Amino acid sequence: MTERTKPAPHGWLLLDKPRGLGSTQAVGMVKRVLRQGGYMKTKVGHGGTLDPLAEGVLPIALGEATKLAGRMLDSDKIYEFTIQFGEETDTLDTEGEIVERTDRRPPMAAIAAVLEHFTGPIEQAPPAYSAIKVDGKRAYDRARAGEEVEMKTRAVTIHELGFAGEREDAELRSSFATTAGRPDPYDPQAPLELADSVTLVAHVSKGTYIRSLARDIARALGTLGHVTYLRRVKAGPFLENEAISLDKLEEIAKGAAIENLLLPLEAGLDDIPVLPLEPDSAQAVRQGRVLSDLPQTDGLHLAKLGETPVALMELEGGTAKVVRGFNLPDVAE
């Protein structure tokens, strides 16, 4: 076994999770790779579950970055997904058994028209095959046991919903263009064409189930449907073009420097202003003390000593209190 001499890393590994790999399996894989690469025991977690049948951006938090995994779970996500019309399954994807069929297929014009009704705040019932607890037991355990599972509706927000390849967001446009291995998006300029399937892109709030969204869109079109392809292309601030493959990850086990693949802890906090600290105030923050008479605006700030993140702090009326401290070595100037 490789001698563990390297210090534990802190930051984000952005994994392009392949289909068939569970999120927990991905975390276990990262732990193994770090161990084989000679790193000290490192805390590892993920920033948002992806079903085994889904692929795409899976943020893996290492070391002190695990303290931010909860914030990543609460962040918006963007998904590309394909709805196959004509059949609904009990899991709402290809893994389940077909429970109902129909010969009806929607025209493209109808799909384009119905999408606006699923944009904005909506109510949706999560799938019975989900990790949500019902009376203290996971819904998917109850469903697999043959129980009738009644899922309560929940409020979610669909910020944007449209055909793949048609996003107006210039930063993300390349993420939604059709690429090798992905389903071809239908041409919405052919409005009378009947669609066997359609590939869409959704920018959604936390707690949104794409499988439920696909089911509800199909039903609103007077047909049935289930998800045959699901890819997360953005999670919080992280884009798919930053993600690494499993092959790249395995290079760490063979001695490759993790620094070449690791994003810094603060990469997950790009929307938070920085509160610069002096050495004395940084020491006070590390002891959990309050800072006063600060000129910065109210809200959450990332307190830093030079390039070293020290803490997340909530500032109100010139007073800053520690929300989450980070135990990181100071970066040499």
Side-chain angles (χ1 to χ4, degrees), residues 111-284:
I111 298 173
V114 83
L115 295 185
E116 65 180 79
H117 297 290
F118 288 91
T119 304
I122 66 169
E123 295 278 332
Q124 71 167 200
Y129 284 83
S130 63
I132 294 172
K133 287 190 175 181
V134 178
D135 296 329
K137 191 175 179 181
R138 298 289 185 188
Y140 55 65
D141 287 332
R142 292 186 179 278
R144 286 168 184 160
E147 296 182 33
E148 282 287 334
V149 185
E150 184 176 348
M151 305 299 294
K152 295 180 179 178
T153 61
R154 55 168 57 186
V156 298
T157 301
I158 312 299
H159 300 291
E160 189 176 356
L161 179 63
F163 293 97
E166 287 218 319
R167 284 185 54 89
E168 296 179 359
D169 190 330
E171 178 190 7
L172 294 173
R173 189 175 296 135
S174 62
S175 294
F176 301 102
T178 305
T179 58
R182 295 193 185 183
D184 291 331
Y186 274 84
D187 181 6
Q189 302 304 317
L192 298 182
E193 176 186 346
L194 294 180
D196 282 324
S197 66
V198 68
T199 301
L200 303 173
V201 174
H203 176 190
V204 303
S205 69
K206 70 170 184 175
T208 303
Y209 279 89
I210 298 299
R211 287 177 290 152
S212 293
L213 180 62
R215 172 200 62 200
D216 296 343
I217 289 172
R219 289 180 179 179
L221 290 166
T223 183
L224 300 168
H226 65 280
V227 171
T228 58
Y229 168 84
L230 177 60
R231 179 174 177 81
R232 186 157 67 194
V233 295
K234 189 172 187 285
F238 298 128
L239 287 165
E240 66 174 350
N241 58 13
E242 301 171 296
I244 62 171
S245 65
L246 292 186
D247 288 344
K248 278 287 185 184
L249 180 66
E250 289 290 347
E251 290 178 6
I252 298 172
K254 300 173 184 176
I258 195 172
E259 290 76 17
N260 298 332
L261 303 175
L262 195 66
L263 297 174
L265 175 147
E266 58 265 38
L269 301 170
D270 67 344
D271 58 336
I272 296 177
V274 171
L275 174 64
L277 302 176
E278 298 297 328
D280 288 347
S281 57
Q283 181 65 20

Side-chain angles (χ1 to χ4, degrees), residues 51-68:
D51 292 339
L53 289 180
E55 60 185 66
V57 177
L58 180 63
I60 303 288
L62 306 183
E64 291 295 286
T66 58
K67 295 177 178 179
L68 301 175

Side-chain angles (χ1 to χ4, degrees), residues 9-38:
H10 304 279
W12 299 93
L13 279 175
L14 198 59
L15 189 64
D16 191 339
K17 188 191 83 65
R19 188 175 175 128
L21 183 72
S23 299
T24 302
Q25 288 177 291
V27 168
M29 184 177 293
V30 171
K31 288 181 178 179
R32 173 185 59 77
V33 161
L34 291 175
R35 184 172 63 250
Q36 293 177 344

Side-chain angles (χ1 to χ4, degrees), residues 81-106 111 127 195-198 200 209-229:
F81 62 104
T82 298
I83 309 172
Q84 178 68 47
F85 296 118
E87 297 173 339
E88 187 172 301
T89 68
D90 52 7
T91 59
L92 305 181
D93 58 23
T94 58
E95 191 174 41
E97 299 293 328
I98 296 171
V99 293
E100 195 173 352
R101 286 186 170 93
T102 178
D103 292 330
R104 298 191 65 178
R105 298 293 185 271
I111 298 173
D196 282 324
S197 66
V198 68
L200 303 173
Y209 279 89
I210 298 299
R211 287 177 290 152
S212 293
L213 180 62
R215 172 200 62 200
D216 296 343
I217 289 172
R219 289 180 179 179
L221 290 166
T223 183
L224 300 168
H226 65 280
V227 171
T228 58
Y229 168 84

